[in-house]
């Protein structure tokens, strides 16, 4: 009897541990679409209007906004820690090396100020990041998904947490899969969300090793199309930092499935993009999205689903966290 009781209680403890270990991943409890329908009915319209204005002046901001949400969610969850400034305790996420090329903070601040005028203290910066990512994609290509809201903002941002949470551009497929799995995301999410590289750019600095010192022997990554590599080398010199290059050559201001065509032709800019050809699931997806008969099929739907999943990582809801007054500062 005593043994039976012990077995039951161990089983119970295991169940609780399992539930708790899942909490910081893609749980999303407490989020729903239309969360602000009553408390701030114009929030989404105000966000869209502000973002449209910003993107109409500088289309490259769309990519910047999409990337901000990703970098937010992968470090401490989608709770706007990426927006916080350094404190006297130390550097913040935005000061970390992998985040130095993030842009679009001022657009998020503009959205926040505009929303605060209508409904002060109601809409979180974390939700604004999620809405901005969706609006950026919608405004550059028409892909649309309903964004779940109800996130609250965190109070901690540490630059030292960047490297252990964000994927590096020289990650191979195993490292990429591990990194995504650690956030509760699948291989399918990996290949679909990498499709975000349909817009935006990467710097000469980012691709320098791939072009000039791939294995430490002054070589170029053989997985990169040689003609493309020579074109890049004309503008990107050894040790160079600029210029920037389109992640999806010839289509970097339009959100569509064209990126997969580039990857299939070995013209994906990043090592991590090319790595999508090294796993059978991700390769099959790249192939399907780049074959003329099936190209683009369901990409919009897939992308929306994976973005929704990413947007649930480690969220703070209910009475956790706070609604920041200004996105760069805790209250
Ligand atoms: C799969 C792993 C990923 C890696 C290793 C990666 C890495 C990078 C790197 C190195 C850059 C260029 C940075 C620079 O040179 O300035 C970049 C740009 C970008 N990334 Fe990713 N990324 C990944 C996934 C994602 C995801 C999941 C999203 C969004 C859902 C995303 C959105 C973007 C966008 C939009 C840009 C262009 C930014 C701009 O033009 O300002 N990336 N990424």
């Amino acid at each position: 009897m005593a043994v039976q009781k012990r077995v039951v209680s161990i089983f119970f403890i295991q169940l609780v541990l399992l539930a708790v270990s899942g909490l910081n991943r893609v749980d999303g409890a407490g989020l729903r679409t239309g969360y602000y329908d009553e408390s701030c009915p114009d929030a989404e319209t105000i966000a869209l209007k502000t973002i449209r204005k910003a993107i109409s002046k500088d289309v490259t901001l769309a990519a910047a906004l999409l990337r901000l949400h990703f970098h937010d969610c992968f470090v401490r969850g989608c709770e706007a820690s990426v927006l916080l400034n350094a404190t006297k305790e130390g550097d913040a996420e935005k000061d970390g090396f992998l985040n130095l090329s993030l842009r679009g903070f001022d657009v998020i601040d503009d959205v926040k100020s505009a929303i605060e005028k209508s409904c002060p203290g109601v809409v979180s910066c974390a939700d604004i990041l999620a809405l901005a990512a969706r609006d950026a994609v919608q405004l550059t290509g028409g892909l649309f998904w309903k964004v779940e809201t109800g996130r609250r903002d965190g109070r901690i941002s540490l630059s030292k947490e960047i490297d252990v949470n964000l994927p590096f551009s020289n990650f191979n497929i195993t490292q990429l899969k591990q990194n995504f799995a650690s956030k509760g995301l699948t291989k399918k999410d990996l290949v679909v969300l990498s499709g975000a590289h349909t817009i935006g750019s990467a710097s000469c600095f980012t691709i320098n090793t791939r072009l000039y010192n791939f294995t430490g022997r002054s070589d170029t990554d053989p997985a990169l199309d040689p003609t493309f590599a020579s074109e890049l080398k004309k503008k990107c010199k050894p040790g160079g930092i600029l210029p920037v290059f389109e992640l999806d050559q010839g289509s970097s201001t339009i959100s569509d499935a064209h990126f997969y065509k580039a990857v299939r032709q070995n013209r994906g800019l990043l090592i991590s993009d090319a790595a999508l050809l090294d796993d059978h699931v991700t390769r099959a997806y790249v192939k399907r999205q780049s074959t003329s008969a099936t190209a683009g099929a369901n990409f919009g739907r897939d992308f929306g689903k994976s973005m929704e999943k990413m947007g649930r990582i480690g969220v703070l809801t209910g009475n956790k966290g706070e609604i920041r007054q200004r996105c760069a500062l805790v209250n």
Side-chain angles (χ1 to χ4, degrees):
M1 196 61 183
V3 175
Q4 254 180 349
K5 258 188 177 169
R6 248 187 98 200
V7 171
V8 170
S9 63
I10 288 173
F11 177 70
F12 182 71
I13 291 168
Q14 278 176 339
L15 269 186
V16 171
L17 284 178
L18 199 73
V20 172
S21 70
L23 280 184
N24 212 25
R25 307 224 326 215
V26 284
D27 177 341
L31 299 184
R32 60 185 158 88
T33 54
Y35 182 85
Y36 298 113
D37 279 358
E38 266 137 49
S39 56
C40 191
D42 294 333
E44 296 205 16
T45 321
I46 297 170
L48 177 62
K49 200 173 145 198
T50 314
I51 291 160
R52 180 182 282 127
K53 200 168 153 200
I55 291 178
S56 69
K57 285 191 199 140
D58 175 3
V59 70
T60 71
L61 282 170
L65 293 172
L66 176 56
R67 189 170 180 228
L68 268 183
H69 182 42
F70 162 51
H71 281 224
D72 180 35
C73 293
F74 267 51
V75 186
R76 284 191 168 262
C78 315
E79 36 64 274
S81 51
V82 72
L83 302 177
L84 284 174
N85 284 345
T87 63
K88 55 182 183 321
E89 273 94 58
D91 282 349
E93 288 174 26
K94 60 165 75 150
D95 307 308
F97 182 73
L98 284 178
N99 277 346
L100 292 180
S101 59
L102 289 180
R103 301 173 302 129
F105 294 100
D106 44 347
V107 182
I108 300 296
D109 287 343
D110 289 348
V111 174
K112 175 70 172 169
S113 312
I115 291 180
E116 286 292 298
K117 277 189 198 138
S118 275
C119 9
V122 173
V123 179
S124 68
C125 299
D127 278 343
I128 291 176
L129 282 171
L131 292 168
R134 189 273 313 275
D135 291 346
V137 172
Q138 193 197 354
L139 291 166
T140 48
L143 307 184
F144 180 83
W145 63 96
K146 281 192 170 169
V147 176
E148 291 177 327
T149 41
R151 295 171 193 79
R152 292 169 62 87
D153 301 322
R155 299 177 51 85
I156 299 170
S157 179
L158 304 166
S159 68
K160 66 174 184 215
E161 292 185 346
I162 293 294
D163 287 2
V164 285
N165 284 290
L166 286 173
F168 283 80
S169 67
N170 64 352
F171 269 10
N172 62 33
I173 191 67
T174 310
Q175 294 167 311
L176 289 169
K177 285 190 287 194
Q178 276 166 358
N179 174 261
F180 271 58
S182 73
K183 307 295 169 194
L185 298 173
T186 63
K187 289 200 245 187
K188 169 114 190 244
D189 295 317
L190 167 64
V191 66
V192 169
L193 289 174
S194 294
H197 292 165
T198 174
I199 52 174
S201 56
S203 66
C204 163
F205 178 81
T206 297
I207 58 169
N208 222 272
T209 308
R210 191 172 191 210
L211 292 180
Y212 294 110
N213 208 10
F214 185 59
T215 63
R217 287 188 229 127
S218 308
D219 53 344
T220 305
D221 182 357
L224 190 61
D225 171 73
T227 317
F228 185 41
S230 326
E231 284 167 24
L232 293 170
K233 283 179 182 174
K234 278 187 200 141
K235 294 183 190 149
C236 177
K237 298 297 170 196
I241 292 171
L242 289 172
V244 295
F245 297 94
E246 296 173 289
L247 283 161
D248 180 9
Q249 299 289 312
S251 173
S252 70
T253 56
I254 300 164
S255 293
D256 59 10
H258 184 270
F259 162 79
Y260 297 104
K261 201 169 175 182
V263 171
R264 193 168 174 196
Q265 292 169 340
N266 299 325
R267 293 168 76 92
L269 209 53
L270 308 181
I271 294 171
S272 58
D273 295 337
L276 298 173
L277 296 171
D278 297 337
D279 168 274
H280 69 281
V281 171
T282 54
R283 181 174 57 244
Y285 193 83
V286 170
K287 218 167 153 186
R288 198 161 59 249
Q289 290 299 349
S290 55
T291 302
S292 41
T294 49
N298 297 331
F299 174 62
R301 194 201 59 185
D302 291 345
F303 195 71
K305 266 170 86 175
S306 290
M307 284 295 285
E308 188 170 283
K309 221 168 139 184
M310 186 180 90
R312 292 178 186 153
I313 299 174
V315 290
L316 303 175
T317 56
N319 55 11
K320 298 202 189 101
E322 62 184 22
I323 304 296
R324 265 178 234 153
Q325 282 165 15
R326 290 173 60 196
C327 290
L329 306 169
V330 296
N331 291 343

